[in-house]
Amino acid sequence: MRMGRMQGVRWLAALLVSIGLLACDEQPMAPEGFLAIITSASGPAEVSPGERWTLSVTELSGTLGIDTIAVVQPNDTLILVVPPATYTIRVDGVPVTCQNRFGAARQAVIGQAGQTFTVRYNFECSSLLVMETATDGWDADDAYAWRLKDALGTEKVGFAAGNDTVRFDGIDPGAYSLELSNIDPSCVVTSDGGRAREFVLEPPRATIVTFRVRCSDERYTPSILHLGGTFRDGTSVFFLEASDPGSNPLLGGSGFPDIDRYQWNLTDCAGNSALRAGSGFTEVGFLGRNLASPGSRSAGADTVRVVMVLSVDMPDAEAQGLCTSVRIEDREGNTTDFVEAPIAGATGSPPVITTFNAFYTESLAASWLQFALNASDPDGDFAGAFVRFTFKDGTFGSPDGQPDLGSYGVQGFEGNTIQDLLMRTQTFEQAFTIDDLTAVTVYAVDRKGNFSIRVDNDPVR
């Protein structure tokens, strides 16, 4: 959108230099050319391109002595009458929120009399800081308050709608905090960082802060009863226990409990994701889904227990200062807030695995991979098990010199009972065969997230 300014045209006659002087004879001036400099600024109406820009025009060799400065408004056109030569043109005074493809400095060459050279400065203006709100769910919030504070403590406050875009104009680069408030107690900020964010504005890159808010029907909202998590050898392990009062029949629910998904993350224990590029995850973390689907061991259960193992490319020492963070949702989108469990706070002893065996069973009608686990915990808080598979290289894609890896579900198993994995029937066949499977690994996990590992390298028998 073009900024609301009328385009003007300005003429500036440059000093023309005589070729030379002999006694009192007049010498003809050098023939003229024309240099047209066109400026434009476009962008949202809330973002100002500034009131005045400065244009400087300098003859490159310095022999003609032309060094002109003119003050223009955005969307002005300046035409200079100059002798043929090479010129450097530069624009200054443009806000850092306005950028153009080719930079502030250009060159123009006028080769002969009567020639016109046109230089265009097309600036796109945007905010250094943009706040977005996105709200959904039951009886969704429709208005919030925000507070922006800089490193010196100077504050700006304002209001935003439930689904809105707020552009901040006239702010300088530097460190800031932005907080969203006036949020209904039934609503949760589900985006990274929660309701308060800290960031540094570094032009020309714009910073977009998004607050995603999910509102819940408190009559049917699940709750987290327990969360324990640890981190060792690049592995995040957690045990989660949650309950649900049921689903709303008026929204098409069955009335039965319907916890369906969870969101996991590693945070700084203040709601900010510690997962960065190279960790194997985005800042969103990991989403476990379909816990309420038919066939899931927790479908319809009022209490759901999850045993989960995730590989994270992060040094163990760095992870010890972090928290395991989890929230859960039901099928209707009702959500808990994030619960954080300090990794360094885990205590107690890991479970003891007495026996573990994965073995293949086959009949004419079907085949299964079965599991026999015997594990217990010295502290009496054994929670359950999680199973991982190691496949031959190339089982699920082109060979790359590394074995293929997979996991058995997104919620693990309670206690010592691991559900049989159906491999084949007359109408169904897994994407792999027993010959593709080279090893099965079991993680025995207690309620604090402490874990032990046992590997079966012969899963056929």
Side-chain angles (χ1 to χ4, degrees):
M1 179 175 69
R2 179 63 63 88
M3 306 299 293
R5 301 182 184 280
M6 296 295 293
Q7 187 177 63
V9 178
R10 301 188 183 187
W11 290 76
L12 181 63
L15 177 64
L16 302 183
V17 181
S18 63
I19 296 175
L21 295 175
L22 287 175
C24 295
D25 295 338
E26 292 186 0
Q27 300 294 325
M29 288 188 173
E32 301 103 338
F34 301 94
L35 180 57
I37 306 171
I38 301 172
T39 68
S40 69
S42 61
E46 301 93 329
V47 182
S48 171
E51 295 296 325
R52 287 185 287 273
W53 298 351
T54 301
L55 287 172
S56 61
V57 179
T58 305
E59 191 271 315
L60 187 61
S61 71
T63 58
L64 299 182
I66 296 177
D67 191 352
T68 299
I69 295 178
V71 177
V72 300
Q73 293 181 337
N75 301 308
D76 268 359
T77 296
L78 182 68
I79 299 178
L80 303 178
V81 182
V82 291
T86 299
Y87 295 89
T88 298
I89 303 99
R90 183 177 179 86
V91 62
D92 292 295
V94 182
V96 294
T97 50
C98 299
Q99 301 292 319
N100 77 94
R101 272 183 78 184
F102 304 106
R106 311 280 180 82
Q107 280 197 345
V109 178
I110 298 178
Q112 60 186 5
Q115 182 180 2
T116 299
F117 194 102
T118 302
V119 176
R120 298 181 185 272
Y121 284 101
N122 300 316
F123 283 88
E124 292 287 337
C125 298
S126 62
S127 301
L128 273 183
L129 175 62
V130 178
M131 182 186 76
E132 297 176 340
T133 59
T135 308
D136 61 11
W138 173 270
D139 194 19
D141 249 348
D142 58 5
Y144 305 108
W146 55 262
R147 182 187 304 272
L148 178 69
K149 183 186 294 186
D150 65 17
L152 299 177
T154 304
E155 294 184 350
K156 292 184 177 182
V157 295
F159 297 94
N163 292 278
D164 204 353
T165 298
V166 178
R167 301 180 186 277
F168 296 88
D169 191 22
I171 58 176
D172 298 321
Y176 288 85
S177 64
L178 180 61
E179 181 179 2
L180 196 70
S181 59
N182 195 37
I183 302 172
D184 190 272
S186 65
C187 302
V188 172
V189 179
T190 62
S191 45
D192 179 40
R195 62 180 62 197
R197 313 287 176 80
E198 295 183 352
F199 49 87
V200 177
L201 297 182
E202 299 176 310
R205 181 175 63 86
T207 295
I208 300 175
V209 178
T210 300
F211 293 98
R212 298 191 180 278
V213 183
R214 171 66 55 83
C215 298
S216 301
D217 184 345
E218 294 178 297
R219 297 169 299 172
Y220 299 98
T221 299
S223 59
I224 294 178
L225 305 177
H226 176 84
L227 175 65
T230 60
F231 191 98
R232 190 180 80 231
D233 300 330
T235 305
S236 173
V237 176
F238 70 87
F239 171 72
L240 167 71
E241 188 174 49
S243 67
D244 187 71
S247 57
N248 188 347
L250 297 178
L251 297 180
S254 63
F256 295 109
D258 60 346
I259 291 176
D260 190 59
R261 48 196 173 269
Y262 61 84
Q263 180 180 356
W264 160 92
N265 211 315
L266 293 181
T267 67
D268 61 358
C269 300
N272 301 292
S273 175
L275 300 171
R276 296 295 181 262
S279 67
F281 298 91
T282 66
E283 288 184 349
V284 172
F286 177 78
L287 299 175
R289 303 177 184 272
N290 302 319
L291 304 186
S293 297
S296 168
R297 66 171 177 79
S298 58
D302 58 2
T303 302
V304 171
R305 298 175 179 87
V306 175
V307 178
M308 192 60 191
V309 175
L310 294 156
S311 295
V312 186
D313 191 358
M314 178 182 292
D316 284 9
E318 180 179 332
Q320 292 310 303
L322 302 180
C323 277
T324 302
S325 173
V326 175
R327 72 176 178 93
I328 60 172
E329 285 188 5
D330 64 15
R331 276 192 162 181
E332 296 162 350
N334 300 309
T335 180
T336 68
D337 207 341
F338 285 95
V339 172
E340 294 177 313
I343 289 172
T347 59
S349 302
V352 175
I353 301 174
T354 304
T355 58
F356 173 65
N357 184 34
F359 54 96
Y360 183 65
T361 301
E362 186 175 24
S363 70
L364 293 176
S367 62
W368 306 266
L369 185 63
Q370 297 181 287
F371 310 88
L373 172 66
N374 186 0
S376 60
D377 191 85
D379 306 313
D381 63 345
F382 178 59
F386 189 83
V387 174
R388 280 182 165 176
F389 301 122
T390 304
F391 301 97
K392 293 178 181 178
D393 182 22
T395 300
F396 300 106
S398 300
D400 60 2
Q402 299 294 326
D404 294 348
L405 304 176
S407 298
Y408 192 179
V410 294
Q411 63 183 135
F413 300 91
E414 289 188 63
N416 282 295
T417 302
I418 302 174
Q419 183 178 332
D420 295 349
L421 178 62
L422 182 63
M423 297 289 293
R424 176 191 57 81
T425 67
Q426 293 179 350
T427 59
F428 168 80
E429 187 168 346
Q430 284 284 358
F432 62 92
T433 69
I434 192 63
D435 294 330
D436 297 320
L437 191 60
T438 62
V440 178
T441 302
V442 68
Y443 293 74
V445 181
D446 70 14
R447 291 176 59 86
K448 302 182 186 68
N450 298 309
F451 64 96
S452 298
I453 301 173
R454 182 70 67 88
V455 180
D456 182 351
N457 291 305
D458 185 10
V460 175
R461 53 187 178 272

